[in-house]
Amino acid sequence: MTIKDNLLNYFINRWGMYEYTRGWLKGDCPYCGREDKFGVHIGQNRSHCFVCDGGERPLKVVARIEKVNIKEALKLIGTFEGLKFKESEVVEYEKKPVILPEGFVPLNLGQGQLGKSARAYIVNKRKLDPQVLASKGFGYCESGPLFGYIIMPYYIRGVLVYYQTRNFMGTGPKFNNPKIEDFGIGKSSLIYNQDSLWVYKSTHIVESIFNAETIGDNAIAIAGKSLSNIQWSTIVSSPVERITIALDPDAFYTKALPLAFSLIPHKQVKLLRLPNNQDVNSIGRTSTMQLKRRAAYLSYAELLKIKHNYEREAYYET
Ligand SMILES: [Zn+2]
C-alpha cells in the first residue's frame, strides 16, 4: 500500500467520495459543507471546491477533516486499505470534424408538434426570437439520440466547431452535450460567438448561450463561471477593447471579481452585479443595459474598492 492507495481508500470509505472523471474523486466539501461540489485529484496531489474555491493537497484535507496534524493524518490514513490507486492516463483526444446531430431541423422549420414545442420553449421560457436564432444555425432534433433537444452551434470563422444542447421536452437530462471524445474538443476551450470578438469593439461576457443571445450579437458565453486559460488568451489577444462582465450573481465574489482583475490590465472593464437568483436572460436585455449604463469602466483602484466593499458587506451580514 502506498500513500496514494491509502488516500484513495480514505476519501472513498471515510469521506464517502466516488470516482468521477479523469482521475477526480467527487463528494462533499469539507470547507463550506456543500454536497457533491468537492473534487480530490490524488494523482495531481490537489483538491478543489467548485462553490467556495477551497482546496489543499489531499493529505492536508485529511488533517482538516480529522482535526489532526499532518503527521497524525499520515498515520491515520495508513489504516485505510483495500482499493489500489491507478494513475489516470493523460488521454490525447483526436480532433474530428463536427457535424450536426442526427435528426437536426432548423429552428424555424417543421410544422409538427415537436417544432412548435421547440419554438414555444424559445419564446416562452427564454423570451428569444426563433427566427433570429434560426439564422444563427439553431435547431432541434426530431429523431436520434438528441430527440427533443435544442441544438446551439458554435462557429469559428464560420466553421462549425461544437454545439450545446438543451432539453425542451421535460424528459431526460437537461443537457446532453457532446463529450470531449466525440469531437476531440470540449466547451471549456471554446467561446460561444467567438468571431464577434473580431467584429465589435465592445462585448459582454456571460455564462450561458441564452444569456448571450438575450444581449445580442456582441456577447460571448463562456459556458461556466470562470475562463479556462485558452478562453482567457483568446479574449485578451482579440481586438475587442471594452468588456462588460455579467455573470450570474452567485459567483460575483468568487468568479466575476477575479475575472475582472485578470482582464483589467488588458481591456476596459465594467462589472455588473445582477440581482440575487437572476441572470441576464431572466432580467432581460433592457434591465441588463440599464445596469450597464449605470456602471463605469473601472480603474484598478475602483475595482479594489468594489472588492473591499463587498467584503465589508459580507462581514456585516454575518
Ligand atoms: Zn466548498
Side-chain angles (χ1 to χ4, degrees):
M1 283 263 144
T2 66
I3 291 176
K4 286 179 178 178
D5 294 331
N6 294 136
L7 281 169
L8 178 72
N9 283 282
Y10 174 87
F11 283 110
I12 288 178
N13 295 323
R14 160 81 172 92
W15 197 239
M17 300 186 86
Y18 57 95
E19 289 184 80
Y20 189 43
T21 59
R22 287 181 279 169
W24 286 94
L25 297 172
K26 209 173 168 207
D28 302 345
C29 178
Y31 301 89
C32 70
R34 277 291 288 274
E35 286 175 19
D36 210 35
K37 293 292 177 193
F38 187 65
V40 171
H41 200 300
I42 293 171
Q44 295 173 4
N45 199 28
R46 64 196 180 106
S47 69
H48 177 242
C49 172
F50 288 91
V51 176
C52 71
D53 241 6
E56 291 163 297
R57 59 198 172 87
L59 192 59
K60 278 199 127 174
V61 177
V62 175
R64 178 178 297 270
I65 291 171
E66 303 297 341
K67 301 187 172 59
V68 296
N69 65 34
I70 291 291
K71 216 174 149 186
E72 289 163 330
L74 199 56
K75 205 174 139 195
L76 183 138
I77 60 164
T79 62
F80 287 86
E81 298 183 322
L83 302 170
K84 205 93 192 92
F85 175 80
K86 274 205 315 283
E87 291 287 347
S88 65
E89 67 277 35
V90 180
V91 189
E92 281 291 324
Y93 294 102
E94 188 195 341
K95 272 270 183 57
K96 291 171 201 155
V98 180
I99 46 167
L100 289 168
E102 184 189 337
F104 178 88
V105 180
L107 192 57
N108 56 335
L109 301 183
Q111 289 314 309
Q113 191 51 52
L114 201 67
K116 285 179 184 159
S117 301
R119 289 186 290 274
Y121 172 82
I122 293 297
V123 173
N124 302 330
K125 288 268 183 358
R126 297 298 170 175
K127 311 279 182 241
L128 295 170
D129 182 346
Q131 288 295 339
V132 171
L133 296 186
S135 74
K136 295 180 174 192
F138 280 53
Y140 60 95
C141 287
E142 60 175 7
S143 62
L146 292 178
F147 171 86
Y149 284 82
I150 303 277
I151 307 299
M152 305 176 270
Y154 282 57
Y155 293 97
I156 295 182
R157 286 180 291 278
V159 177
L160 181 69
V161 292
Y162 190 74
Y163 55 80
Q164 274 201 61
T165 63
R166 182 65 166 81
N167 187 323
F168 65 90
M169 295 290 283
T171 52
K174 250 189 190 178
F175 314 103
N176 199 347
N177 294 326
K179 299 188 180 47
I180 277 204
E181 48 270 40
D182 293 339
F183 302 131
I185 197 155
K187 61 183 162 50
S188 64
S189 46
L190 295 166
I191 294 171
Y192 174 77
N193 200 20
Q194 177 171 317
D195 288 349
S196 69
L197 294 170
W198 275 262
V199 176
Y200 300 97
K201 290 264 188 284
S202 159
T203 195
H204 305 77
I205 298 182
V206 296
E207 288 185 28
S208 75
I209 294 177
F210 289 130
N211 291 159
E213 287 303 331
T214 301
I215 291 175
D217 293 340
N218 66 334
I220 56 171
I222 57 176
K225 295 186 181 295
S226 45
L227 295 176
S228 63
N229 290 336
I230 182 160
Q231 288 174 324
W232 184 87
S233 41
T234 303
I235 294 169
V236 166
S237 63
S238 80
V240 87
E241 292 170 4
R242 297 183 296 279
I243 295 177
T244 299
I245 299 170
L247 301 185
D248 298 358
D250 60 313
F252 181 79
Y253 185 76
T254 55
K255 302 294 180 189
L257 265 168
L259 175 57
F261 276 107
S262 79
L263 292 174
I264 216 161
H266 309 278
K267 308 286 181 186
Q268 287 185 273
V269 176
K270 280 189 184 189
L271 178 58
L272 306 191
R273 194 164 160 194
L274 272 62
N276 276 344
N277 302 315
Q278 304 270 359
D279 65 7
V280 166
N281 184 247
S282 67
I283 69 171
R285 186 174 197 283
T286 308
S287 300
T288 306
M289 290 304 123
Q290 274 167 4
L291 282 176
K292 183 185 172 184
R293 271 194 300 277
R294 273 189 253 131
Y297 287 105
L298 299 165
S299 67
Y300 181 77
E302 286 161 340
L303 187 57
L304 261 182
K305 202 169 151 194
I306 291 177
K307 177 174 148 65
H308 292 145
N309 283 342
Y310 185 96
E311 284 163 355
R312 198 169 309 133
E313 225 177 89
Y315 178 79
Y316 285 115
E317 267 169 25
T318 53

